């Protein structure tokens, strides 16, 4: 059974571990990633963001974050699922949880940055209502696509 909770002292190490594993598999870890992953409380939570962790049968297997851009907009980011648990719908459940939380916060939109090689992720985002928009100044060198979802 999957349970989604907020970041806490028990699952904090997995936030960094899951994201580093994902980044190293597909790209590389950028300086901005290191800053956020080493101090998620200050870099994400203290700035008004949220970090959610997925636990499956007692094991932390996934994560997603909402990073505050401004009062109406948050970035969906730092989403990763343990490689051995991919294909089980965990990413979809994390995405739905993040969107639902954004709706509860009465945000106007979510944005995300991704890469065109991540076809399953892009498909998931499109099914969830995200659409491609102009890629302005991306925070990440790996990003070649920006998407948004109006809430």
């Amino acid at each position: 059974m999957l349970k989604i909770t907020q970041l806490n002292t028990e699952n904090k190490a997995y936030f960094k571990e899951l994201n580093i594993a994902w980044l190293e598999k597909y790209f590389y870890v950028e300086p901005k990633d290191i800053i956020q992953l080493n101090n998620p409380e200050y870099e994400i939570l203290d700035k008004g963001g949220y970090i959610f962790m997925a636990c499956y049968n007692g094991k932390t297997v996934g994560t997603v974050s909402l990073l505050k851009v401004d009062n109406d907009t948050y970035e969906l980011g730092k989403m990763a699922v343990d490689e051995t648990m991919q294909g089980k719908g965990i990413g979809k459940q994390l995405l739905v949880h993040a969107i639902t939380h954004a709706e509860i916060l009465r945000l106007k939109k979510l944005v995300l940055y991704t890469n065109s090689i991540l076809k399953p992720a892009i498909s998931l985002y499109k099914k969830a209502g995200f659409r491609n928009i102009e890629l302005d100044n991306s925070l990440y060198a790996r990003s070649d696509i920006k998407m948004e979802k109006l809430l």
Side-chain angles (χ1 to χ4, degrees):
M1 181 171 164
L2 188 73
K3 180 180 176 188
I4 298 176
T5 61
Q6 294 204 37
L7 184 78
N8 58 47
T9 53
E10 293 173 15
N11 62 28
K12 179 183 172 185
Y14 295 103
F15 174 69
K16 182 176 181 179
E17 182 181 305
L18 289 163
N19 274 286
I20 295 281
W22 180 88
L23 287 165
E24 289 179 343
K25 179 177 179 177
Y26 293 101
F27 306 101
Y28 56 91
V29 181
E30 297 182 32
K32 175 88 173 161
D33 297 315
I34 294 294
I35 292 167
Q36 290 177 329
L37 296 174
N38 279 342
N39 196 350
E41 295 89 352
Y42 177 76
E43 292 296 324
I44 298 172
L45 301 178
D46 292 351
K47 295 178 179 179
Y50 300 86
I51 300 172
F52 303 107
M53 306 297 291
C55 187
Y56 184 79
N57 290 338
K59 181 182 177 199
T60 301
V61 297
T63 183
V64 67
S65 301
L66 291 173
L67 298 92
K68 186 174 183 177
V69 176
D70 60 41
N71 288 336
D72 295 322
T73 306
Y74 276 58
E75 175 192 343
L76 181 82
K78 299 296 178 245
M79 186 170 176
V81 174
D82 184 303
E83 186 174 16
T84 65
M85 298 300 292
Q86 291 176 5
K88 299 183 185 309
I90 295 168
K92 179 180 180 181
Q93 290 184 60
L94 281 164
L95 179 60
V96 168
H97 186 85
I99 292 169
T100 300
H101 195 78
E103 291 170 344
I104 290 168
L105 294 172
R106 298 180 187 256
L107 301 179
K108 292 197 168 106
K109 71 178 168 181
L110 288 175
V111 297
L112 64 84
Y113 297 88
T114 190
N115 187 286
S116 53
I117 69 165
L118 302 171
K119 303 221 182 299
I122 293 167
S123 175
L124 178 66
Y125 301 142
K126 286 183 177 178
K127 287 178 186 171
F130 283 85
R131 63 180 184 84
N132 289 43
I133 59 172
E134 181 182 345
L135 179 68
D136 47 16
N137 297 328
S138 172
L139 301 173
Y140 311 99
R142 65 182 167 267
S143 301
D144 65 358
I145 293 175
K146 182 177 182 182
M147 302 177 86
E148 76 174 8
K149 176 179 175 65
L150 300 178
L151 302 170

